[in-house]
Amino acid sequence: MLAVQDSAQLDPFRTAYVAVTDEPRLSALYDPLFAIQPGTGKLLAHLGESITSPDGGKSWVLKLRSGVQFSDGAPFDAAAVKTNWEMHADPATGSLHRAAATGLKLTVADPLTLTIVPQTPNANFDRTLAQELTYIESPLQLAKGPAVYGTQPVGAGPFVLKSWTRGSEQVFARNPSYWQKDKGLPKLDGFTVRNVPDIQQQLASVKNGQADVFTSSDPALLEKAAKDAHASVLRVDGGQYFMFNLSRPPFDDPRARRAISLALDPADIPKTLNNGYIPAKGLFSSQSAFFDPAFVQPPPNRAEAQKLFDQLAAEGKKVDFSYLIPQNPSSQKTAEYMQSRLLTYSNVSMKIEALEIGAYIQKSAIQHDFQGLLTQRWVVDPEPQLFMAFFSQSPLNYGSWKNPAVDKALLTGRGSSDPAVRKQAYSDLQRALIEDMPLWVYSEAVVGPIYNDKVTGVEVYNAGVVFMDRIGLK
């Protein structure tokens, strides 16, 4: 298996649940409690047996599968889940998933049953669980502290981490106590993850048999792989976008945000860079059940953009900003495209700041220290990602967008499982996105594994994560 970068750590707390980076490794180590089936939106039980609410989301009951244990012999029980979720909620842990666990009241009813009371009623907490709280580490390992549990992870998944050569490779071996071993799972005795930052080299390695599988979110690469190898391509909500920081100049002024959005053309990016991007109309894919065609991003308008740049400059508010991006060729090319197009306007200046992924996450997600940010999101269900990203009090609201109508829409979408109610709620969100322009989406989200003829059993969950228990080789 190939990855674009090495892991910083492999615990459930400080690792991003992203299919193109660490999540396949988390799947191998931990197995998900629950997962969402792409396309249908159906909740899939795995280590969890059931998650139900008797009162419309005011409380939930989690039932765990019996007979499961962690690879260190500790029981996989309700107390272990409670310990993990309480650690997510503790600010000292530094969890990237803290918002999903904050305010949960957890009670162990019996060894396999956990009762959950969310901070506010949440009719879609099962979706939060499946996407943000689904990986559980052994409490025995957690007790050893973050320096140990992050680099020597212990889960109940199909594999254990055998060795880790920093900057080079991770070697995984079959978990001899895996709960599905009687079914002949996992199918592999083990696998190795090697770091290959160049995605073209990744594809070449899979095609010539030097590697077997990797996950990509590059549309052109996925399209090419579908012809030259094999690819399971998902189109989901979210996409690649320019996020504005509304808490500092120049983008605390809505005119600056609108000027950038009008100055750039989503359709021109794939035409110029030949990168296969699917021009976006907003945060929801045009194929999404939640997409509202009444609220799409305005088309490019050079004259109006220049007018706004000039207005701001005349008031001493020239749109002079730094654009933070992760350090990789694709992001660099996209940012340079934007920079070149903005150079054709007066009274606007863009500087590119490219950082290694760890430093990029620290500066954007932890410190919120940016003016403009290149970021990407893959959304298989609006809950909980959009709530955490845009609710005014969410610690993950990196762009500091605060809008009472948005809070109301997000609470309504969270509070109902009725498809019609949810569709209207996210239509209201799309209206606010167009009115306030807290971000500008230029490419729809695609993601999926790419693999060769030898690979069997490729099934994905959530936003393109491979079920590692069933993947095999001919």
Side-chain angles (χ1 to χ4, degrees):
M1 177 178 287
L2 300 178
V4 293
Q5 64 195 36
D6 196 7
S7 308
Q9 55 274 315
L10 282 171
D11 59 72
F13 313 108
R14 298 166 296 168
T15 307
Y17 298 172
V18 179
V20 296
T21 54
D22 283 322
E23 199 164 6
R25 291 173 262 204
L26 299 181
S27 175
L29 290 165
Y30 300 108
D31 255 356
L33 273 169
F34 293 88
I36 294 176
Q37 186 177 59
T40 68
K42 179 182 177 183
L43 192 77
L44 304 174
H46 203 60
L47 286 174
E49 194 169 80
S50 66
I51 176 76
T52 56
S53 175
D55 48 21
K58 293 179 182 178
S59 66
W60 289 81
V61 179
L62 168 64
K63 294 282 187 180
L64 297 176
R65 193 177 297 277
S66 63
V68 180
Q69 65 179 32
F70 293 99
S71 61
D72 62 2
F76 189 95
D77 57 15
V81 176
K82 182 175 185 287
T83 296
N84 274 256
W85 289 2
E86 287 176 343
M87 286 185 64
H88 275 296
D90 184 353
T93 305
S95 174
L96 298 176
H97 315 280
R98 176 185 166 199
T102 298
L104 297 180
K105 294 181 180 178
L106 307 170
T107 304
V108 176
D110 63 51
L112 297 178
T113 306
L114 184 69
T115 61
I116 306 143
V117 178
Q119 196 168 25
T120 57
N122 185 348
N124 295 284
F125 176 75
D126 53 350
R127 314 242 153 217
T128 297
L129 193 168
Q131 296 178 80
E132 293 291 321
L133 301 171
T134 198
Y135 302 115
I136 305 298
E137 186 158 3
S138 168
L140 296 181
Q141 197 71 353
L142 295 179
K144 299 175 183 178
V148 176
Y149 68 65
T151 57
Q152 302 169 41
V154 175
F159 297 94
V160 297
L161 183 62
K162 184 178 179 181
S163 67
W164 185 349
T165 304
R166 286 285 184 177
S168 178
E169 66 178 28
Q170 297 159 327
V171 179
F172 294 77
R174 180 197 296 266
N175 175 5
S177 60
Y178 186 49
W179 62 280
Q180 295 191 94
K181 63 182 180 181
D182 293 343
K183 298 179 182 178
L185 299 176
K187 294 181 179 179
L188 299 174
D189 291 330
F191 67 97
T192 299
V193 177
R194 293 192 175 92
N195 305 314
V196 178
D198 188 309
I199 59 175
Q200 298 297 335
Q201 185 180 342
Q202 286 184 334
L203 180 58
S205 296
V206 165
K207 286 171 60 180
N208 65 28
Q210 291 180 327
D212 296 303
V213 63
F214 69 98
T215 302
S216 179
S217 61
D218 186 279
L221 199 73
L222 286 163
E223 183 180 355
K224 185 177 181 181
K227 300 173 184 176
D228 297 346
H230 300 278
S232 298
V233 185
L234 302 177
R235 286 182 67 175
V236 294
D237 292 330
Q240 195 164 128
Y241 54 92
F242 187 131
M243 176 179 283
F244 304 106
N245 189 338
L246 278 64
S247 70
R248 61 177 62 179
F251 298 123
D252 55 345
D253 191 311
R255 292 173 297 174
R257 306 193 297 269
R258 186 161 294 275
I260 295 293
S261 304
L262 293 172
L264 301 172
D265 183 358
D268 191 45
I269 297 177
K271 187 186 302 182
T272 302
L273 301 181
N274 194 30
N275 56 15
Y277 283 4
I278 303 168
K281 296 181 179 179
L283 198 63
F284 289 84
S285 164
S286 54
Q287 297 183 351
S288 171
F290 296 104
F291 175 69
D292 189 337
F295 303 115
V296 298
Q297 292 176 161
N301 187 323
R302 283 190 60 87
E304 183 62 22
Q306 188 60 70
K307 179 181 176 182
L308 291 170
F309 288 137
D310 292 344
Q311 282 181 1
L312 290 160
E315 297 172 18
K317 299 179 179 181
K318 182 183 175 183
V319 183
D320 186 359
F321 68 96
S322 176
Y323 190 55
L324 181 64
I325 68 171
Q327 205 169 60
N328 63 66
S330 177
S331 296
Q332 186 73 33
K333 287 178 182 178
T334 303
E336 288 174 353
Y337 160 85
M338 294 179 184
Q339 187 181 52
S340 70
R341 292 300 183 266
L342 291 177
L343 280 172
T344 66
Y345 295 86
S346 57
N347 293 319
V348 57
S349 175
M350 172 179 165
K351 176 185 176 184
I352 299 170
E353 182 181 8
L355 296 179
E356 177 273 328
I357 189 66
Y360 164 85
I361 291 174
Q362 178 69 23
K363 192 164 187 178
S364 60
I366 309 300
Q367 299 173 345
H368 301 185
D369 181 16
F370 65 91
Q371 292 173 293
L373 177 71
L374 186 158
T375 189
Q376 190 161 354
R377 191 174 292 274
W378 300 270
V379 181
V380 289
D381 189 277
E383 268 293 326
Q385 283 205 44
L386 299 190
F387 188 95
M388 294 190 300
F390 302 129
F391 191 68
S392 61
Q393 298 177 45
S394 169
L396 301 182
N397 186 344
Y398 306 148
S400 299
W401 185 30
K402 302 184 187 304
N403 183 320
V406 170
D407 285 354
K408 180 180 178 182
L410 292 169
L411 287 168
T412 300
R414 166 165 284 193
S416 177
S417 57
D418 183 329
V421 172
R422 298 188 80 207
K423 183 174 178 62
Q424 182 58 55
Y426 297 118
S427 173
D428 293 342
L429 172 63
Q430 288 168 80
R431 178 198 295 269
L433 282 164
I434 300 309
E435 291 174 347
D436 284 1
M437 278 290 177
L439 51 87
W440 175 69
V441 191
Y442 50 86
S443 177
E444 291 193 4
V446 296
V447 65
I450 293 171
Y451 51 99
N452 59 32
D453 290 334
K454 295 185 294 181
V455 178
T456 64
V458 176
E459 296 180 40
V460 297
Y461 64 92
N462 291 2
V465 191
V466 177
F467 273 112
M468 293 301 295
D469 59 343
R470 59 204 70 174
I471 196 167
L473 295 174
K474 291 179 183 176

